Amino acid sequence: MSDLAIITGASSGIGLELARCAASDGYALLICADDPRIHEVAEMLRANAAAEVEAVQADLSTRSEVARLLAQSGNRPPALLMANAGIGLGEKFLDQDIAAALNVINTNVGGTLALVHEVGRQMRRAGEGRILITGSIAGYMPGSFQAVYNGTKAFLDSFSYALRDELLDSGVTVTCLMPGPTDTEFFDRANMTDTPIGSSNDKDDPAKVARTGYAAMRQGESGVVPGFMNKVQTVFAGLLPETLLARMHRRMARPER
């Protein structure tokens, strides 16, 4: 029986490409998204990669849905967990619907923590396992016009490194994937297509981002920022005042209407 890999946010974008990576390495897949297309993805992976794939449509903003996803793995401890599910929300914070803003936090942070907490315990008991958490270089910048999303990614970036240190000598590694703007459905779903960053054609290829993160996870690296310019941005983010970083983010994320 093949080792199990769990991938969330796998109906499109980086998550789908991570699933392809794991399938090509012979893992059995448990894939999840809140999008019904996750079942079409499962069929595609079965056909193209001859992979063992089970799909679950679930909203991971709630603990009950996280539990429902994990129940599908039965008693099979996962070898890989790629916690990739995440959503964004554009506009000024005070103009956002508060329920939508809280849903970003519940999905990106709450759902990820609940999933990593349970799977991480299973891996620690087994003495082996690899976890990949999709953070973002957005976590390095105060996100004007995307304040809640950037805040969640700052949390995940920090949490990944902290958890990795806690798991030293356990046989379990944690890797943080921190991409920059990537050519996915993220900006459509976040209502940001009318922003400079959303309308830009200069976004990263999700397949390349996923392969970079997947390789870093398999090698047990602490974290990876795909792309030279994204690496440069993170360096400068550590040197510039937060007020200036927020103003720079405003120029990228403010709607042009």
Short mmCIF file of all heavy atoms in Angstrom, two decimals, residues 6 26 43 76 83 120 131 139 141 158 160-162 182 186 190 195 205 209 227 235 239:
data_model
loop_
_atom_site.label_atom_id
_atom_site.label_comp_id
_atom_site.label_asym_id
_atom_site.label_seq_id
_atom_site.Cartn_x
_atom_site.Cartn_y
_atom_site.Cartn_z
N ILE A 6 -1.75 14.05 2.20
CA ILE A 6 -2.95 14.88 2.30
C ILE A 6 -2.61 16.26 1.75
O ILE A 6 -1.63 16.87 2.16
CB ILE A 6 -3.45 15.00 3.75
CG1 ILE A 6 -3.81 13.63 4.31
CG2 ILE A 6 -4.65 15.94 3.84
CD1 ILE A 6 -4.25 13.66 5.77
N GLY A 26 4.25 8.51 -6.52
CA GLY A 26 3.65 7.25 -6.12
C GLY A 26 2.86 7.27 -4.82
O GLY A 26 2.48 6.22 -4.31
N GLU A 43 -10.49 12.54 -10.51
CA GLU A 43 -10.62 11.70 -11.71
C GLU A 43 -9.44 11.92 -12.64
O GLU A 43 -8.90 10.96 -13.22
CB GLU A 43 -11.93 12.01 -12.42
CG GLU A 43 -13.17 11.58 -11.65
CD GLU A 43 -14.45 11.93 -12.37
OE1 GLU A 43 -14.37 12.44 -13.52
OE2 GLU A 43 -15.53 11.71 -11.80
N ARG A 76 -4.84 5.38 8.74
CA ARG A 76 -3.65 5.42 7.91
C ARG A 76 -2.86 6.69 8.21
O ARG A 76 -3.26 7.78 7.80
CB ARG A 76 -4.08 5.40 6.45
CG ARG A 76 -3.01 5.07 5.45
CD ARG A 76 -3.70 4.88 4.11
NE ARG A 76 -2.78 4.61 3.04
CZ ARG A 76 -3.14 4.43 1.78
NH1 ARG A 76 -4.43 4.50 1.44
NH2 ARG A 76 -2.24 4.19 0.85
N ALA A 83 -0.55 21.59 3.77
CA ALA A 83 -1.64 22.46 4.22
C ALA A 83 -1.60 23.73 3.39
O ALA A 83 -0.95 24.70 3.75
CB ALA A 83 -1.50 22.75 5.71
N GLY A 120 0.06 16.33 12.81
CA GLY A 120 1.37 16.42 13.44
C GLY A 120 1.52 15.46 14.59
O GLY A 120 2.58 14.84 14.78
N ILE A 131 5.70 17.97 6.75
CA ILE A 131 4.59 18.92 6.67
C ILE A 131 5.04 20.13 5.86
O ILE A 131 6.12 20.67 6.09
CB ILE A 131 4.16 19.37 8.08
CG1 ILE A 131 3.65 18.19 8.90
CG2 ILE A 131 3.09 20.47 8.00
CD1 ILE A 131 3.40 18.52 10.37
N GLY A 139 3.35 37.79 4.21
CA GLY A 139 3.52 37.83 5.66
C GLY A 139 4.62 38.76 6.11
O GLY A 139 4.73 39.06 7.31
N MET A 141 4.86 41.87 4.90
CA MET A 141 4.44 43.24 4.65
C MET A 141 3.08 43.53 5.29
O MET A 141 2.16 42.71 5.16
CB MET A 141 4.31 43.50 3.14
CG MET A 141 5.58 43.32 2.35
SD MET A 141 5.32 43.69 0.58
CE MET A 141 5.11 45.49 0.65
N SER A 158 5.40 32.53 10.71
CA SER A 158 6.01 32.42 12.04
C SER A 158 5.72 31.07 12.67
O SER A 158 6.60 30.41 13.22
CB SER A 158 5.49 33.56 12.94
OG SER A 158 5.96 33.42 14.25
N SER A 160 5.09 28.21 11.31
CA SER A 160 5.80 27.11 10.67
C SER A 160 7.19 26.92 11.26
O SER A 160 7.60 25.79 11.57
CB SER A 160 5.92 27.36 9.16
OG SER A 160 4.65 27.38 8.55
N TYR A 161 7.91 28.03 11.41
CA TYR A 161 9.27 27.94 11.94
C TYR A 161 9.26 27.55 13.42
O TYR A 161 10.15 26.81 13.88
CB TYR A 161 10.01 29.26 11.73
CG TYR A 161 10.50 29.44 10.32
CD1 TYR A 161 9.71 30.04 9.36
CD2 TYR A 161 11.76 28.98 9.95
CE1 TYR A 161 10.16 30.19 8.06
CE2 TYR A 161 12.23 29.13 8.65
CZ TYR A 161 11.42 29.74 7.70
OH TYR A 161 11.86 29.88 6.41
N ALA A 162 8.28 28.03 14.16
CA ALA A 162 8.19 27.67 15.58
C ALA A 162 7.89 26.19 15.76
O ALA A 162 8.52 25.50 16.57
CB ALA A 162 7.11 28.52 16.26
N THR A 182 1.07 34.70 -7.58
CA THR A 182 1.10 33.51 -8.42
C THR A 182 -0.15 33.49 -9.30
O THR A 182 -1.23 33.95 -8.89
CB THR A 182 1.16 32.24 -7.54
OG1 THR A 182 2.29 32.36 -6.65
CG2 THR A 182 1.34 30.99 -8.38
N PHE A 186 -6.73 32.96 -7.09
CA PHE A 186 -6.75 33.68 -5.82
C PHE A 186 -7.32 35.09 -5.97
O PHE A 186 -8.17 35.51 -5.18
CB PHE A 186 -5.34 33.75 -5.23
CG PHE A 186 -5.22 34.62 -4.02
CD1 PHE A 186 -5.50 34.13 -2.76
CD2 PHE A 186 -4.85 35.96 -4.13
CE1 PHE A 186 -5.40 34.94 -1.63
CE2 PHE A 186 -4.75 36.78 -3.02
CZ PHE A 186 -5.03 36.27 -1.77
N ALA A 190 -10.68 36.70 -4.34
CA ALA A 190 -10.49 37.76 -3.34
C ALA A 190 -11.05 39.10 -3.81
O ALA A 190 -10.89 40.10 -3.12
CB ALA A 190 -9.00 37.91 -3.02
N THR A 195 -7.07 45.45 -9.22
CA THR A 195 -5.92 46.03 -8.54
C THR A 195 -4.68 45.83 -9.40
O THR A 195 -4.65 44.92 -10.26
CB THR A 195 -5.68 45.36 -7.17
OG1 THR A 195 -5.34 43.98 -7.39
CG2 THR A 195 -6.93 45.44 -6.31
N ASP A 205 4.42 31.05 -12.05
CA ASP A 205 3.76 29.85 -12.53
C ASP A 205 3.48 28.94 -11.34
O ASP A 205 4.40 28.55 -10.62
CB ASP A 205 4.68 29.15 -13.53
CG ASP A 205 4.12 27.84 -14.05
OD1 ASP A 205 3.01 27.45 -13.65
OD2 ASP A 205 4.81 27.19 -14.86
N VAL A 209 6.12 27.00 -8.65
CA VAL A 209 6.05 27.27 -7.22
C VAL A 209 5.85 25.97 -6.44
O VAL A 209 6.52 25.70 -5.44
CB VAL A 209 4.91 28.26 -6.90
CG1 VAL A 209 4.67 28.36 -5.39
CG2 VAL A 209 5.22 29.64 -7.48
N GLY A 227 11.52 32.09 -6.60
CA GLY A 227 11.68 33.27 -7.45
C GLY A 227 12.66 34.28 -6.90
O GLY A 227 12.57 34.66 -5.72
N VAL A 235 14.04 40.33 1.57
CA VAL A 235 15.22 40.95 2.18
C VAL A 235 14.94 42.42 2.48
O VAL A 235 15.21 42.91 3.59
CB VAL A 235 16.45 40.81 1.26
CG1 VAL A 235 17.61 41.66 1.78
CG2 VAL A 235 16.88 39.36 1.15
N LEU A 239 14.31 45.31 6.09
CA LEU A 239 15.12 46.50 6.29
C LEU A 239 14.31 47.80 6.34
O LEU A 239 14.74 48.77 6.96
CB LEU A 239 16.16 46.62 5.16
CG LEU A 239 17.14 45.45 5.01
CD1 LEU A 239 17.99 45.66 3.75
CD2 LEU A 239 18.02 45.33 6.23
#
